[in-house]
Amino acid sequence: MWQFQLTFLFFLFLILYHYLFGYKNGFPTNWPLLGMLPALLKNVHRIHEAVIDILELENLTFLFKGPWFTNMDILATANLANVHHIMSKNFANYPKGNKLKDILDVLGDGIFNTDFMVWEYHRKMAKSFLTHPNFNQFLVNKTWEKVDNGLIPLLDHASNYAKEMDLQDLFARFTFDTICTIIIDHDPMSLSSNLPRVPSSKALDDIEEVFFYRHVVPTSIWKFQRWLNIGGEKKYKKACQILDSFIYKCINIKKEQLGNENLSKQKEDDKVSIDLLTLYAQKNENYNDKFIRDTILNMFIAGRDTTSTTLSWFFYLFLKNPKIASKIKEEVDSVTLNRNNFKEVSLKLVYLHGALCETLRLYPPVVFQAKSPIKPDILPSGHHVNPNMQIIFDMYAMGRMKSIWGDDCNEFKPERWITEKGRIKHEPSYKFLAFNAGPRTCLGKDMAFTQMKIVAATIIQNYVIEAVEGHHVVPNLSIILHMKFGFKVRIYRS
Ligand code: HEM
């Protein structure tokens, strides 16, 4: 009981501070004992805007002092030389670190949560899968199947009855079904006509929100809440159980299938249809189920929300910018969406590609990247970092900083990504960090562009979308940049 009272008093204290003493001259006040935590809690609802303001004032690098004895000092930087140094040039000194591993504990020993040899192993496996010569056509086939049998029937139904629908929810269902099919050879059919509740998909949303919360409060506080099993931690525990039971069930089904020799042989001969789970199962290494479960869960996180939130924000920007929308439509209408050779079609959709990059600059789905040095180091900006410190890049802030993208940084301008010769303009990954940079660059970038172009082009060619008036679209507080209240639209056949 006394622990509960103590926590309550502590929070009361923080709230008082957060109303009375947030900022001094534009900078968070560094209080004895509490450090800058009150200012962080006060601004947590506008965390990215606050980071932009402070970084612009502080010449792009700022040291956030956490409460004493909490090991919560964080260096936020948007200095491009620092980003390049940490992500690529001195990569070996900047693993993700144990603090992050603790925060993302449900990811176990998967690719997102490991460093050094285990990460290298995962990366090799994931790369061999996602860059296999047959993978692109496999992906294109599975994506079109979902478009034809899931997306179009649902959009037609909504169009016939002039029904309001949440586009973000629709895209999340779309990518969840496709990523499950590609990774574990199982379609949860969340994009069916009755829009069923899919517990494992909801569980992923819940754990992502808790990941964010764990980043902004001291470790001892969230661990204490976990111990008490209250609030977000209680939800998190339940979500982990739901995911575990879903994934282990799929692993067992796959094991049974692969026990059947004919099936396994047929899959080997027909590499186009191999999912990641089968690929692992066919390797003659003794993976335990926990390792496979970690691998699968990490791939779900990688491939589900990133693509679906980008599509949601893309359509949001599309509707907000009618002149650009008509240019995108003109380009999309000029191509035939050939299912057997989508690679060729994709290359022609240059303006759409630019618009998707611009969406990713303004609304990067993965909003933070955290690193922790193994050895003390001096960054190109002159800042000293040590092993107790976390270094954070806020990708949302970085996409909207005048010093990085110019005075028009808040405008949606696909032209920014197109050269005079009409080709896609390359921006260095340490500047356009949406897909990460250096040896840990996203492995699913091509997959994401292929899926997003198929979905966006299909909708733009065949439907007219209207945003529901009065519906408020704002980002939520999560490590993935979802829309807090979804994206309500009406859709009509064109
Ligand atoms: C618009 C879509 C996408 C965006 C913006 C995106 C962004 C990112 C980012 C920022 C990271 C680094 C995360 C971190 O280390 O904390 C990452 C890593 C990764 N992504 Fe993506 N991603 C997208 C789609 C996908 C898809 C569809 C897949 C396929 C399953 C995928 C697979 C991966 C993998 C395997 C990694 C781990 C790389 C490593 O640590 O070596 N991504 N992605």
Side-chain angles (χ1 to χ4, degrees):
M1 193 60 193
W2 66 267
Q3 289 106 326
F4 186 73
Q5 282 167 346
L6 208 66
T7 314
F8 177 74
L9 280 176
F10 179 70
F11 272 104
L12 197 68
F13 186 56
L14 289 186
I15 288 166
L16 273 176
Y17 259 102
H18 123 86
Y19 278 112
L20 294 175
F21 313 103
Y23 273 65
K24 234 183 196 170
N25 306 328
F27 292 105
T29 313
N30 185 10
W31 292 99
L33 194 67
L34 290 171
M36 297 175 181
L37 188 65
L40 173 66
L41 294 178
K42 182 180 181 188
N43 284 285
V44 78
H45 64 286
R46 53 176 296 276
I47 183 94
H48 305 297
E49 281 73 22
V51 172
I52 294 174
D53 294 346
I54 292 174
L55 288 181
E56 294 277 22
L57 272 174
E58 276 289 80
N59 204 13
L60 301 182
T61 305
F62 174 72
L63 179 63
F64 170 88
K65 295 296 287 180
W68 295 357
F69 316 117
T70 59
N71 201 8
M72 205 185 157
D73 285 0
I74 298 170
L75 189 84
T77 185
N79 175 310
L80 299 189
N82 286 352
V83 179
H84 193 32
H85 175 85
I86 293 165
M87 300 303 286
S88 305
K89 285 188 172 170
N90 202 3
F91 174 76
N93 192 42
Y94 291 92
K96 295 204 162 184
N98 286 338
K99 186 173 175 192
L100 195 72
K101 197 162 179 167
D102 233 10
I103 290 179
L104 310 179
D105 54 0
V106 66
L107 301 185
D109 288 324
I111 190 165
F112 280 120
N113 218 16
T114 43
D115 290 304
F116 312 114
M117 273 167 68
V118 183
W119 164 71
E120 273 170 30
Y121 184 81
H122 277 300
R123 179 133 188 129
K124 205 174 105 208
M125 286 296 281
K127 198 168 172 188
S128 74
F129 174 64
L130 291 165
T131 57
H132 189 281
N134 291 335
F135 178 76
N136 187 267
Q137 195 54 46
F138 170 51
L139 168 75
V140 168
N141 295 346
K142 294 291 169 196
T143 305
W144 277 118
E145 260 172 51
K146 211 26 55 189
V147 166
D148 291 339
N149 305 325
L151 192 64
I152 291 182
L154 263 168
L155 294 180
D156 281 347
H157 180 76
S159 155
N160 290 341
Y161 295 95
K163 261 176 75 172
E164 243 178 47
M165 61 188 341
D166 178 357
L167 214 49
Q168 174 173 262
D169 176 58
L170 207 70
F171 291 147
R173 289 168 184 274
F174 179 87
T175 48
F176 187 57
D177 286 358
T178 45
I179 197 76
C180 285
T181 310
I182 286 163
I183 301 298
I184 55 175
D185 192 20
H186 165 75
D187 183 349
M189 299 295 286
S190 70
L191 200 68
S192 310
S193 57
N194 57 343
L195 295 180
R197 226 186 124 259
V198 182
S200 40
S201 183
K202 169 78 176 61
L204 284 170
D205 295 341
D206 288 346
I207 64 168
E208 283 163 5
E209 269 178 35
V210 174
F211 284 165
F212 180 86
Y213 176 78
R214 286 179 173 186
H215 271 96
V216 295
V217 297
T219 311
S220 46
I221 300 263
W222 69 257
K223 285 202 170 163
F224 187 46
Q225 286 179 305
R226 183 174 69 183
W227 183 72
L228 293 172
N229 196 25
I230 55 170
E233 291 298 326
K234 186 175 175 183
K235 197 165 74 170
Y236 182 85
K237 193 174 166 193
K238 179 109 189 75
C240 297
Q241 285 163 351
I242 291 171
L243 280 171
D244 275 353
S245 102
F246 173 65
I247 296 175
Y248 281 122
K249 200 167 133 196
C250 293
I251 295 175
N252 288 335
I253 292 174
K254 176 59 67 182
K255 271 187 183 163
E256 260 173 45
Q257 281 178 353
L258 291 176
N260 175 340
E261 221 182 294
N262 292 337
L263 180 70
S264 125
K265 193 152 178 17
Q266 174 205 328
K267 290 263 178 182
E268 236 171 76
D269 295 342
D270 176 18
K271 285 258 171 24
V272 178
S273 60
I274 280 194
D275 53 279
L276 186 73
L277 184 51
T278 311
L279 189 81
Y280 270 84
Q282 283 181 346
K283 287 242 154 208
N284 277 335
E285 301 192 26
N286 266 342
Y287 303 111
N288 59 39
D289 284 1
K290 167 75 170 56
F291 185 80
I292 304 262
R293 169 256 181 230
D294 293 348
T295 306
I296 291 170
L297 180 55
N298 279 254
M299 294 304 267
F300 281 176
I301 298 262
R304 182 190 78 131
D305 289 337
T306 45
T307 309
S308 69
T309 47
T310 310
L311 277 169
S312 309
W313 288 111
F314 165 77
F315 276 103
Y316 169 76
L317 290 165
F318 182 87
L319 297 190
K320 279 212 126 190
N321 296 276
K323 276 194 190 147
I324 291 168
S326 59
K327 281 192 192 171
I328 298 174
K329 177 145 176 67
E330 198 181 311
E331 182 187 77
V332 166
D333 283 348
S334 72
V335 300
T336 306
L337 297 180
N338 181 346
R339 281 145 205 249
N340 296 323
N341 195 359
F342 191 77
K343 228 176 185 170
E344 213 171 86
V345 181
S346 172
L347 289 175
K348 292 184 186 154
L349 297 172
V350 176
Y351 198 72
L352 175 62
H353 194 101
L356 290 167
C357 290
E358 194 62 347
T359 307
L360 286 157
R361 177 181 72 83
L362 289 167
Y363 295 101
V366 182
V367 267
F368 292 109
Q369 176 65 234
K371 293 280 189 175
S372 205
I374 308 177
K375 288 193 230 144
D377 193 14
I378 303 174
L379 298 181
S381 62
H383 290 82
H384 289 246
V385 291
N386 61 59
N388 291 327
M389 218 181 236
Q390 258 205 324
I391 302 171
I392 285 215
F393 309 128
D394 179 332
M395 274 90 119
Y396 181 95
M398 283 182 71
R400 289 163 187 256
M401 298 195 67
K402 286 194 180 132
S403 40
I404 299 178
W405 295 98
D407 285 346
D408 60 356
C409 61
N410 289 316
E411 284 173 44
F412 177 59
K413 272 173 111 174
E415 288 76 9
R416 206 187 296 275
W417 297 91
I418 298 166
T419 64
E420 278 174 12
K421 288 187 175 159
R423 303 220 177 96
I424 288 296
K425 190 172 158 193
H426 173 77
E427 287 288 2
S429 52
Y430 53 85
K431 174 178 174 187
F432 177 50
L433 206 54
F435 290 102
N436 230 28
R440 290 195 90 130
T441 295
C442 172
L443 283 167
K445 186 174 172 185
D446 290 345
M447 166 172 168
F449 272 107
T450 302
Q451 283 205 307
M452 292 190 296
K453 284 184 181 172
I454 290 178
V455 172
T458 302
I459 294 180
I460 292 167
Q461 270 193 358
N462 298 293
Y463 300 90
V464 175
I465 306 179
E466 270 176 23
V468 168
E469 227 172 275
H471 176 70
H472 200 37
V473 177
V474 280
N476 75 343
L477 294 178
S478 172
I479 54 153
I480 300 285
L481 201 70
H482 296 287
M483 294 165 169
K484 190 170 180 181
F485 310 110
F487 184 29
K488 294 276 166 63
V489 299
R490 284 204 178 77
I491 194 152
Y492 306 96
R493 265 272 176 195
S494 53

